[in-house]
């Protein structure tokens, strides 16, 4: 059987003007991951990443730390994260009557992390429940279909017994959990909130048959006994 290693990007720049940039801590997480994979002697046959900068940067830093910087990072936008900002903009107006401080909290997310998470979870629940304010917002169903197409493309191109790294995001991993295990979107998102930056989730595959072998492993960070390396955004 082959393996697909789903790797969440390193910590991005939460609360900054541009979220889609690895923070210095996120860069360190990617390097620690790569060194750990090298210590394990893991051989990668392919490396795929979404087109987002935080995904691409994590891939390149990890491969460099593994000593395989010459391995090509293929880009597949199917593994991009859903547009959280678009979801918030689309669904926030209907939430404001019940949460009048929501706009202030979301605009100052870095200073209101716990309240931001609570509001974001409410909006995501409405999103995967099929509530959309605009036709331009990618629906949960469309997002899952996009991720599914990427997985099928990966499987159809995979050699028998291949080891493939996919550098992606928490929402994408959540969609794959839903697709592969059959758990509900609500259950999948309960797991989503636990996904650590640069954690590994392993899928085992034979042809198009796929099973979840492990989820959210972040031993590479735990071994350093530095709690600040374990982050969730």
């Amino acid at each position: 059987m082959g393996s697909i290693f789903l790797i969440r990007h390193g910590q991005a720049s939460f609360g900054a003007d541009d979220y889609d940039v690895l923070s210095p801590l996120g860069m360190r997480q990617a390097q620690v991951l790569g060194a750990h994979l090298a210590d394990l002697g893991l051989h990668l046959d392919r490396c795929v990443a979404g087109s987002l900068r935080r995904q691409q940067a994590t891939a390149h830093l990890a491969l460099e730390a593994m000593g395989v910087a010459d391995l090509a990072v293929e880009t597949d936008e199917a593994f991009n994260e859903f547009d959280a900002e678009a979801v918030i903009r689309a669904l926030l107006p209907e939430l404001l009557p019940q949460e009048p401080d929501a706009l202030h909290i979301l605009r100052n997310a870095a200073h209101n992390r716990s309240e931001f998470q609570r509001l974001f979870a409410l909006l995501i629940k409405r999103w995967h429940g099929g509530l959309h304010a605009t036709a331009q917002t990618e629906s949960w169903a469309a997002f899952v279909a996009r991720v599914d197409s990427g997985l099928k493309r990966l499987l159809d191109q995979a050699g028998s017994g291949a080891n493939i790294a996919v550098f992606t995001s928490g929402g994408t991993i959540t969609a794959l959990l839903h697709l592969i295990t059959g758990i509900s979107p609500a259950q999948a998102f309960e797991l989503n909130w636990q996904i650590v930056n640069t954690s590994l989730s392993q899928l085992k595959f034979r042809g198009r048959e796929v099973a979840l072998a492990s989820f959210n492993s972040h031993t590479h960070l735990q071994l350093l006994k530095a709690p600040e390396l374990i982050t969730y955004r």
Side-chain angles (χ1 to χ4, degrees):
M1 297 183 74
S3 291
I4 297 172
F5 298 93
L6 303 173
I7 302 168
R8 190 186 180 195
H9 60 78
Q11 184 191 61
S13 299
F14 182 69
D17 291 338
D18 187 354
Y19 174 74
D20 194 22
V21 178
L22 288 185
S23 70
L25 183 59
M27 297 173 68
R28 175 66 178 144
Q29 289 167 332
Q31 293 164 339
V32 170
L33 169 66
H36 179 70
L37 296 179
D39 287 343
L40 292 178
L42 178 66
H43 170 76
L44 293 177
D45 297 289
R46 290 181 65 193
C47 176
V48 180
S51 65
L52 301 178
R53 283 178 291 167
R54 59 190 184 272
Q55 299 169 338
Q56 291 277 328
T58 303
H60 286 286
L61 286 168
L63 292 182
E64 183 178 2
M66 282 184 74
V68 291
D70 56 339
L71 180 63
V73 178
E74 306 168 40
T75 300
D76 190 334
E77 293 185 355
F79 297 107
N80 283 3
E81 180 66 284
F82 66 89
D83 190 341
E85 289 188 6
V87 170
I88 291 172
R89 287 195 304 269
L91 298 180
L92 181 59
E94 295 181 6
L95 188 65
L96 285 175
Q98 293 78 41
E99 299 283 350
D101 295 329
L103 188 57
H104 172 75
I105 292 168
L106 294 171
R107 283 177 172 172
N108 298 276
H111 303 292
N112 299 276
R113 288 175 179 265
S114 61
E115 277 297 283
F116 171 85
Q117 176 60 34
R118 183 183 67 82
L119 292 174
F120 187 55
L122 288 174
L123 291 166
I124 291 300
K125 183 177 180 180
R126 296 174 69 85
W127 178 60
H128 68 62
L131 300 176
H132 313 290
T134 67
Q136 289 73 35
T137 305
E138 184 180 38
S139 68
W140 164 254
F143 175 58
V144 170
R146 166 163 66 83
V147 174
D148 189 37
S149 70
L151 175 62
K152 288 176 178 174
R153 186 160 47 249
L154 203 63
L155 294 172
D156 289 344
Q157 297 170 354
S160 177
N163 287 327
I164 305 168
V166 177
F167 289 84
T168 184
S169 295
T172 314
I173 296 170
T174 301
L176 288 165
L177 289 174
H178 167 65
L179 284 165
I180 292 166
T181 69
I183 61 176
S184 70
Q187 291 170 318
F189 269 100
E190 284 302 312
L191 294 174
N192 171 281
W193 311 131
Q194 309 305 317
I195 301 176
V196 172
N197 291 116
T198 68
S199 65
L200 294 98
S201 297
Q202 184 179 7
L203 307 179
K204 301 291 288 186
F205 70 89
R206 180 183 290 112
R208 277 199 174 185
E209 294 182 8
V210 187
L212 179 66
S214 66
F215 171 69
N216 198 34
S217 173
H218 50 284
T219 304
H220 56 290
L221 303 177
Q222 293 171 310
L223 286 172
L224 295 186
K225 299 180 180 179
E228 67 275 10
L229 284 173
I230 299 176
T231 62
Y232 299 88
R233 290 204 176 278

